[in-house]
Amino acid sequence: MIVSASAFSDYWQRVHGRTRDMVAAIPADRLDWRPAAGELSCAEIARHIASTRRMNIVSATLGAGLYPGHDERFGATLDDLLHYLDATNAEISNRLAGMRDEELAEPRMSNQGGPYPAWNILLAMIEHEVHHRSQLATYLSLMGVQPPALYG
């Protein structure tokens, strides 16, 4: 259970930094690389991470956030992808800064149904991000690129 929006925000900054480092390690000419037909490309995973962040922070703070998608309008170049990640990080930081600790226990609807306590949605946001960050690390390894160390 998360009991402090401020403490979670501090932790979130470290999660964001590790994800940003992983995306930044994708060679710019390999953004569309995928391990097999039908799998998400590196760029699609990065956009999916950022879009899901937005959906989850809206769900946790307002309820029922919508998934905006992960197509190229959210970033076609590596710089665009990093900008989108940074923009969703800023949105999360701003929303958490305005969140009272008591709100963490309030029920919220999400795209997965609910109601769930807001803290539960925030934990799911972390779990989702780590899953896809690990997927990117595997993609980098398969491409012959050394993924960044987990803790720098």
Side-chain angles (χ1 to χ4, degrees), residues 76-137:
T77 68
L78 186 56
D79 285 342
D80 292 342
L81 295 174
L82 294 171
H83 176 77
Y84 188 37
L85 283 170
D86 291 341
T88 57
N89 179 58
E91 182 175 356
I92 289 168
S93 297
N94 290 336
R95 288 183 181 276
L96 288 172
M99 188 176 209
R100 295 179 343 283
D101 291 343
E102 302 79 46
E103 291 178 81
L104 291 164
E106 292 178 3
R108 301 278 195 259
M109 297 303 290
S110 77
N111 73 329
Q112 299 296 316
Y116 302 108
W119 64 263
N120 189 279
I121 296 169
L122 294 174
L123 286 180
M125 179 174 73
I126 297 283
E127 187 171 344
H128 178 268
E129 182 135 342
V130 169
H131 163 77
H132 286 298
R133 187 172 66 220
S134 298
Q135 189 177 15
L136 282 175

Side-chain angles (χ1 to χ4, degrees), residues 19 23 26 31-32 34 40-55 67-78 80-85 88 128-129 132 136:
T19 299
V23 171
I26 303 167
L31 292 174
D32 294 324
R34 62 187 81 233
L40 293 174
S41 70
C42 295
E44 288 168 333
I45 292 171
R47 291 188 295 259
H48 174 69
I49 289 170
S51 290
T52 304
R53 287 175 169 188
R54 178 166 282 148
M55 175 191 68
Y67 182 70
H70 57 267
D71 56 65
E72 269 194 11
R73 68 190 156 129
F74 295 108
T77 68
L78 186 56
D80 292 342
L81 295 174
L82 294 171
H83 176 77
Y84 188 37
L85 283 170
T88 57
H128 178 268
E129 182 135 342
H132 286 298
L136 282 175

